[in-house]
Amino acid sequence: MSPHHERPASLRHSWFSGAVFGLALAAAPAAWAADPPASVAMEPGSLFQFLTPQLNTSQRQILAAFPGYTVGPENGRRVYILFRPDCSHCHALWRQLQVLRNTNPEVAALQFRWIPVLVTVADAQRLRPYWHTPRNARSLAGLMSGAPAAETVDAPPSMLQLEQRMAPALGWLRQTGAQDVPAVVAPLPRRTVRLRLGDPVDSVLLAWLGVS
């Protein structure tokens, strides 16, 4: 078992830090800045519920239009993950989902849309070689692992072009009140759609995804 899965905490945080690149996240309420009180229920699906803002129809439609890397079957139920290219917690979530997709048929049936947000210059530098690629599972694997981009569709964009292209996704995330990545949105029929933050242990992540 990897150290990532040996950690006893039910949720691991990845607070935004470092020099701000482009849009800065607005200051969030004080409750976001601290660990939740011990009285918070720790069952999967209800964990840190007060840190999971609801998303309305307009927000979900905007989210669906952001460009990103698509992994999974074309007709699968879509799950959105907003991530920073230079975020170790985002890389850990990707590795965790790689394992779950290979071992859990319900997770394998989902389609994941990984949407980059740029907060630091390092985020942009890491994303740039991989942006003008097919944006599929292979390209995302290169981005997450640091392997050379295997295939490009066009010349990489300039840093300014990349910042401008990615700014709307960061602005959207900021407007939800979130100051954390990775951010997971897994719409389920007839359920309130929430944005959930962090890279949780398997049991919590499966509950977020709505699978067993």
Side-chain angles (χ1 to χ4, degrees), residues 2-192:
S2 68
H4 177 74
H5 292 282
E6 292 174 353
R7 297 184 63 177
S10 293
L11 189 67
R12 297 172 291 272
H13 287 293
S14 162
W15 303 114
F16 287 148
S17 62
V20 174
F21 180 71
L23 285 172
L25 288 178
W32 290 72
D35 289 334
S39 59
V40 173
M42 299 300 284
E43 295 82 6
S46 64
L47 183 67
F48 302 166
Q49 196 75 355
F50 71 99
L51 293 183
T52 57
Q54 296 184 20
L55 301 181
N56 59 38
T57 300
S58 176
Q59 288 174 308
R60 297 197 302 271
Q61 290 174 341
I62 294 171
L63 176 64
F66 291 140
Y69 296 82
T70 302
V71 178
E74 185 175 348
N75 61 348
R77 175 167 60 87
R78 181 170 290 181
V79 175
Y80 302 92
I81 302 177
L82 292 97
F83 74 102
R84 284 180 46 213
D86 197 47
C87 162
S88 61
H89 290 257
C90 302
H91 301 168
L93 179 61
W94 173 78
R95 291 192 298 270
Q96 183 181 7
L97 283 170
Q98 288 288 92
V99 174
L100 290 174
R101 291 182 65 242
N102 289 327
T103 57
N104 188 312
E106 291 186 77
V107 178
L110 299 173
Q111 181 192 100
F112 293 87
R113 173 66 67 82
W114 290 79
I115 300 171
V117 294
L118 306 182
V119 177
T120 68
V121 173
D123 288 330
Q125 290 172 333
R126 180 145 186 164
L127 177 63
R128 185 172 177 264
Y130 302 94
W131 188 239
H132 281 181
T133 66
R135 297 183 203 154
N136 52 22
R138 184 180 182 185
S139 296
L140 181 65
L143 170 59
M144 292 297 190
S145 66
E151 181 182 358
T152 59
V153 177
D154 201 351
S158 69
M159 293 285 280
L160 179 59
Q161 289 172 330
L162 192 61
E163 177 189 7
Q164 293 171 338
R165 187 72 180 91
M166 298 295 102
L170 179 58
W172 181 93
L173 185 62
R174 178 184 62 179
Q175 289 171 0
T176 70
Q179 61 172 16
D180 196 355
V181 288
V184 179
V185 178
L188 290 165
R190 298 178 298 279
R191 293 193 191 179
T192 300

